[in-house]
Amino acid sequence: MEPVAPRCALTAQQADQFDRDGFLILKDIFTAEEVEALKAESAAMRNGERDLMDGSVITEPGSDEVRTIFKLPEQSSLFNRLASDRRVAGIARFLLGDEVYIHQSRLNYKPGFTGKEFYWHSDFETWHAEDGMPRMRAVSASLLLTDNDAMNGPLMLMPGSHKQFIACAGETPDENHKSSLKKQEVGVPSHEALGKLANEHGITAATGKAGTLVLFDCNTIHGSNGNITPFPRSNAFFVFNAVSNRLEEPYGAAKARPDFLAERGEPTPVEIKTGKLA
Amino acid sequence: MTAMSKERDRRSQDPYPSRLPEERWLPRQDRTVWSQWRPDAL
């Protein structure tokens, strides 16, 4: 009898690795043509060739250079297709054991020379405190749109850090997201806690060619350095939340963050698609 | 039960309280991988 081709989006070893480390780096899962199409679409959005929704663009601190564009599927049919692809959403659905919906999506761009750092944090801490995400049942998928190496400020993760929750000190200021999107100061672990985590778990840089997919658990501690090389760094970022883990009222803030940061209301499950993106 | 007491109740049962006066380390109370792996898992 012919062996049956596995249908699961991950191997057993990859699933175990994600469980142990809290992240997974997948290479060569998109074709060169698909990656080129996504890079071209990303450039068009950033360069003003697309009409973008009001409030969906964040600029670098002290400049007008685009740092982030939110609500990708709503603003681009190609990124909408990417977000529903089996190689992205299919993996999220497997990891979360439920139908998934997009909690947040964005295009991140770290320009050469001036790209600023993202300080160490757990996404779940913010999503729980400020968005009202009840449990740790969400996963982030970051598709690299430029080559990421040790020099141009790649994502760094602390493997195994997702196994404990660092409850951060300090009240949430009103409208915290307006400053935290540029520089996060509330909802970050202390130097002491970060030192202990790094000594215990180490730090891994998620490097790879454009087209590499990085998946990480909502509670994995991560951050990135600034980029003083001439080479920009860019990625498309989707957060999938289990439909059963839909948002409630915030647990640690007076008011929920805006819709472009956290999808509220009745979740619309992603319809998983297979085949080439473009 | 009033809305305010419901909210107090919800927050008191929160397994991941944060933004409090002091930093705390709490154990994770959720799985990381929620599906059982098998070759034909969707």
Side-chain angles (χ1 to χ4, degrees):
Chain A
M1 187 195 281
E2 288 289 315
V4 177
R7 291 174 64 202
C8 185
L10 291 178
T11 66
Q13 186 187 20
Q14 289 169 330
D16 288 345
Q17 193 179 338
F18 187 87
D19 188 37
R20 182 192 68 217
D21 295 339
F23 66 89
L24 198 56
I25 300 169
L26 300 175
K27 301 188 176 184
D28 302 321
I29 59 171
F30 293 95
T31 67
E33 292 77 20
E34 288 175 315
V35 175
E36 285 310 310
L38 290 163
K39 285 163 77 171
E41 179 69 0
S42 158
M45 292 179 80
R46 236 181 30 249
N47 297 339
E49 295 168 40
R50 300 277 187 276
D51 287 332
L52 299 176
M53 297 157 70
D54 286 346
S56 67
V57 179
I58 305 290
T59 56
E60 282 284 323
S63 91
D64 289 333
E65 193 139 26
V66 172
R67 175 176 179 144
T68 307
I69 300 172
F70 286 96
K71 289 208 165 277
L72 278 187
E74 290 87 340
Q75 309 203 77
S76 159
S77 57
L78 184 58
F79 280 115
N80 186 38
R81 176 64 184 78
L82 174 66
S84 60
D85 195 88
R86 179 179 176 273
R87 293 164 287 183
V88 182
I91 296 175
R93 182 175 64 177
F94 168 77
L95 291 172
L96 301 176
D98 195 357
E99 295 300 316
V100 296
Y101 73 97
I102 297 175
H103 168 70
Q104 185 196 102
S105 63
R106 58 183 197 251
L107 184 66
N108 288 322
Y109 185 74
K110 185 173 279 194
F113 299 115
T114 59
K116 296 290 187 294
E117 78 280 2
F118 276 99
Y119 193 66
W120 296 108
H121 64 283
S122 148
D123 286 327
F124 178 77
E125 196 281 340
T126 297
W127 298 341
H128 185 67
E130 299 189 34
D131 297 337
M133 183 181 284
R135 307 298 295 226
M136 293 182 186
R137 200 169 181 175
V139 64
S140 297
S142 173
L143 182 71
L144 310 190
L145 295 174
T146 52
D147 295 349
N148 278 213
D149 57 31
M151 292 175 286
N152 64 348
L155 178 70
M156 298 184 291
L157 308 113
M158 295 190 190
S161 60
H162 62 302
K163 297 284 189 186
Q164 55 273 303
F165 178 68
I166 311 293
C168 298
E171 275 190 36
T172 312
D174 288 344
E175 307 279 359
N176 184 42
H177 67 277
K178 289 186 177 169
S179 57
S180 69
L181 290 175
K182 297 200 174 193
K183 189 175 183 191
Q184 190 168 355
E185 290 179 336
V186 176
V188 294
S190 66
H191 289 180
E192 184 188 8
L194 290 168
K196 189 175 172 198
L197 284 169
N199 282 318
E200 189 175 334
H201 301 293
I203 296 172
T204 299
T207 56
K209 296 273 182 203
T212 298
L213 183 69
V214 184
L215 295 143
F216 57 102
D217 177 80
C218 59
N219 191 45
T220 302
I221 298 286
H222 63 283
S224 64
N225 283 318
N227 182 17
I228 61 168
T229 73
F231 313 115
R233 183 179 79 88
S234 176
N235 62 63
F237 188 87
F238 303 95
V239 180
F240 296 96
N241 190 23
V243 164
S244 55
N245 196 38
R246 62 185 288 183
L247 303 189
E248 299 176 351
E249 289 304 305
Y251 288 83
K255 193 175 150 197
R257 298 194 301 171
D259 181 60
F260 70 90
L261 289 170
E263 189 66 36
R264 306 191 75 82
E266 191 64 37
T268 307
V270 173
E271 192 180 322
I272 311 283
K273 296 188 173 68
T274 56
K276 281 192 173 181
L277 296 181
Chain B
M1 193 182 259
T2 65
M4 196 179 286
S5 63
K6 266 188 188 170
E7 180 59 15
R8 265 201 305 272
D9 198 37
R10 186 181 77 103
R11 291 202 184 194
S12 70
Q13 292 175 26
D14 179 9
Y16 304 116
S18 194
R19 313 290 169 99
L20 300 171
E22 292 194 354
E23 184 175 80
R24 289 167 65 195
W25 291 57
L26 301 170
R28 181 182 181 117
Q29 297 193 23
D30 295 304
R31 303 175 63 168
T32 304
V33 178
W34 292 72
S35 296
Q36 187 68 41
W37 190 89
R38 56 181 203 281
D40 60 344
L42 287 178

